[in-house]
Amino acid sequence: MRNPRLGLALGCAALLLSGCSSSDPGTDARSRSGDAPPVDFATPPPVTATPTLRASTALELPLEAYAWTDAEERTRRQGEDLLAAQCMRRYGFDLAPRPAYRGDKALRDARRYGISDPDTASRFGYRIDPAARGPKPPEENYSTAESLVLFGPQDGQGTGRTADGKSVPEGGCWGQALRDLAADGPEVRPEDEEFADQLATFTYQASQQDPRVKKAFAAWSGCMKDKGYAYKGPMDAVEDPAFKTARASRREIQVAEADVACKQRHNVIGVWYAVEVAYQERAVEQNQQQLDTLGQRKEAILRAAARAGATP
């Protein structure tokens, strides 16, 4: 029997601002970016302290306590794979686990406020170091019978029964694995699974409009102008259409180097980080009950994954 792997359909792209987690098959991660944020951003929150940060590494943000750390994500994925494989064996299929989750927090931190590492700027401009990316998920190669058992019947695939008449769980073995992992935790609607990450997106966006951050951006912009580059804010440099070429040009590298130097000169990262922390603290305070529910569900899933044989 072939040994299918959980590949692209179960994998996630490494996003810069949002975490990535598995969800029920067929359920797309929903973005709330067009909705009103569930927190009061009308009055800027107070900042208690502003650290001096030369780079955005090992950041600690309040909402991360309710999202999935890289280690927790590895445990959850392992639990999902073990339970799905156990179910698949009942139908005569062997399912190999996905490659170990490498984690992307370090990459997200490094790019959260634009580029901040002088070495990366000098080597890659605004590009990501290829060595920092996780491995590409293997391509799927499921037979019709395997796909039916793993994911349940899809459009045009008929009833949820195998060729020999065995009943397939709703959503297949994958759906059953996800339900089993979350069975002992509080119920959470699929669209609320990523609430902590969605809330973090709101606080990030709000921080860019804060007067203290805008003042830091203006200082950075003046510094860049002195070096011969006209950008209103750091993310404008990142998104410059001139840098969408196959390889980083000499000019892109020069701009990136100047960008990092100006951020360091005016402590842009320290100011921006301190303001974003303040917004996240307010977001946690005003959404504590829903975030606590997500935290309880996460702990239940981790306990179930450990019972299934997952290791930290």
Side-chain angles (χ1 to χ4, degrees):
M1 193 65 63
R2 287 190 300 113
N3 196 7
R5 305 184 68 90
L6 298 177
L8 294 177
L10 307 182
C12 296
L15 302 181
L16 298 186
L17 301 181
S18 63
C20 180
S21 61
S22 300
S23 59
D24 201 84
T27 299
D28 294 328
R30 292 174 172 82
S31 171
R32 298 174 180 235
S33 59
D35 301 336
V39 62
D40 174 25
F41 290 152
T43 304
V47 171
T48 56
T50 300
T52 299
L53 297 178
R54 297 182 64 81
S56 53
T57 57
L59 299 176
E60 294 183 7
L61 291 159
L63 282 166
E64 290 178 341
Y66 305 94
W68 291 80
T69 67
D70 289 342
E72 290 168 343
E73 184 69 23
R74 279 190 290 273
T75 299
R76 173 165 69 172
R77 288 180 178 225
Q78 190 180 4
E80 291 167 350
D81 293 353
L82 288 167
L83 289 176
Q86 183 182 61
C87 174
M88 291 288 283
R89 284 194 292 271
R90 296 199 293 267
Y91 297 87
F93 298 111
D94 293 324
L95 184 70
R98 289 166 287 183
Y101 179 65
R102 179 172 175 170
D104 59 8
K105 175 173 168 51
L107 181 59
R108 294 197 311 271
D109 283 355
R111 316 292 291 197
R112 189 174 192 89
Y113 305 123
I115 193 168
S116 65
D117 177 55
D119 180 63
T120 300
S122 296
R123 295 168 62 202
F124 304 105
Y126 286 102
R127 319 303 168 99
I128 295 175
D129 180 353
R133 295 183 182 274
K136 183 179 179 180
E139 293 186 3
E140 297 171 343
N141 187 26
Y142 303 125
S143 69
T144 301
E146 291 165 344
S147 179
L148 172 64
V149 174
L150 183 57
F151 299 114
Q154 306 300 306
D155 292 343
Q157 208 169 6
T159 63
R161 291 184 176 276
T162 63
D164 58 2
K166 289 183 179 179
S167 178
V168 175
E170 181 183 355
C173 285
W174 186 248
Q176 185 64 58
L178 297 185
R179 288 192 295 273
D180 288 347
L181 280 177
D184 293 338
E187 186 175 352
V188 174
R189 297 182 305 168
E191 60 267 30
D192 292 332
E193 290 268 3
E194 308 299 328
F195 179 68
D197 291 324
Q198 293 160 349
L199 202 55
T201 299
F202 282 136
T203 57
Y204 177 82
Q205 293 169 344
S207 70
Q208 294 183 72
Q209 303 305 315
D210 185 274
R212 293 156 293 193
V213 173
K214 284 187 173 182
K215 182 178 179 180
F217 284 1
W220 174 91
S221 181
C223 176
M224 291 291 283
K225 187 175 181 180
D226 290 342
K227 295 176 182 291
Y229 310 116
Y231 295 101
K232 187 175 181 180
M235 303 315 290
D236 295 324
V238 174
E239 297 165 3
D240 190 331
F243 303 152
K244 304 305 179 184
T245 54
R247 295 174 61 87
S249 65
R250 180 56 191 158
R251 176 177 173 81
E252 178 181 340
I253 289 174
Q254 290 171 336
V255 171
E257 290 174 335
D259 181 346
V260 173
C262 288
K263 281 195 180 90
Q264 292 180 348
R265 179 179 298 176
H266 296 285
N267 194 29
V268 173
I269 294 174
V271 171
W272 195 350
Y273 170 71
V275 168
E276 187 179 10
V277 166
Y279 277 95
Q280 287 206 5
E281 288 174 343
R282 177 174 291 178
V284 170
E285 180 183 356
Q286 295 188 0
N287 293 274
Q288 190 71 66
Q289 183 174 356
Q290 187 169 355
L291 290 169
D292 285 345
T293 298
L294 288 177
Q296 293 163 10
R297 188 173 190 274
K298 178 174 71 170
E299 292 304 317
I301 289 172
L302 292 174
R303 288 194 300 269
R307 288 196 300 269
T311 55

